[in-house]
Amino acid sequence: MQRASITYQWESDNRNEHYYHVLLYTLLTYFGAELRVEEAMAKGQADLTLFMPKGIYVIEIQYTHSVQEALDQIDQKGYAEKYRLDGRPATKVGIAFSSEELNISDWKAESL
């Protein structure tokens, strides 16, 4: 989503990570995706887990932090461990949002 496409009514100084969770969740569910949101795990909770016929995507969103921090959090907290026996390949996805750009500043996906 480009900043220019966000209407002025949505512009706010009160944005935080939760704001971007909601945007991503809304977009994915609109397209019929099967999602689990903040599903509790042994060491925390993944922001979003997307279930597709050919794979599972564990998504961690960072606001004003790096995409590498998002990927590291998935590893350190073992968010994908519970899906290893599912049979579908799992992918970790880190998404970083910039408070300055009001946009996705970086993203990266890695197979598990």
Side-chain angles (χ1 to χ4, degrees):
M1 174 185 306
Q2 295 297 318
R3 181 176 182 184
S5 65
I6 299 173
T7 65
Y8 75 93
Q9 293 98 330
W10 283 15
E11 289 293 328
S12 169
D13 291 333
N14 297 323
R15 287 216 175 106
N16 58 27
E17 188 173 310
H18 178 72
Y19 172 85
Y20 293 101
H21 288 204
V22 171
L23 284 178
L24 187 57
Y25 173 79
T26 302
L27 177 67
L28 291 170
T29 55
Y30 177 78
F31 288 111
E34 180 187 345
L35 291 170
R36 293 187 191 153
V37 178
E38 296 184 351
E39 183 176 25
M41 316 268 180
K43 296 181 183 177
Q45 56 195 27
D47 290 333
L48 294 167
T49 306
L50 172 62
F51 296 87
M52 301 293 287
K54 295 186 179 183
I56 298 172
Y57 300 85
V58 179
I59 303 168
E60 182 62 31
I61 297 169
Q62 292 290 331
Y63 181 68
T64 70
H65 296 287
S66 74
V67 72
Q68 191 58 51
E69 287 178 89
L71 296 173
D72 291 345
Q73 184 174 332
I74 293 169
D75 290 337
Q76 292 166 355
K77 301 215 175 186
Y79 293 160
E81 293 299 318
K82 70 186 294 180
Y83 307 115
R84 292 206 185 270
L85 298 177
D86 180 272
R88 291 177 277 187
T91 302
K92 62 182 178 178
V93 180
I95 303 173
F97 285 90
S98 167
S99 60
E100 294 175 5
E101 298 175 27
L102 302 176
N103 201 355
I104 294 174
S105 58
D106 196 9
W107 71 275
K108 187 174 183 182
E110 295 178 354
S111 297
L112 294 166

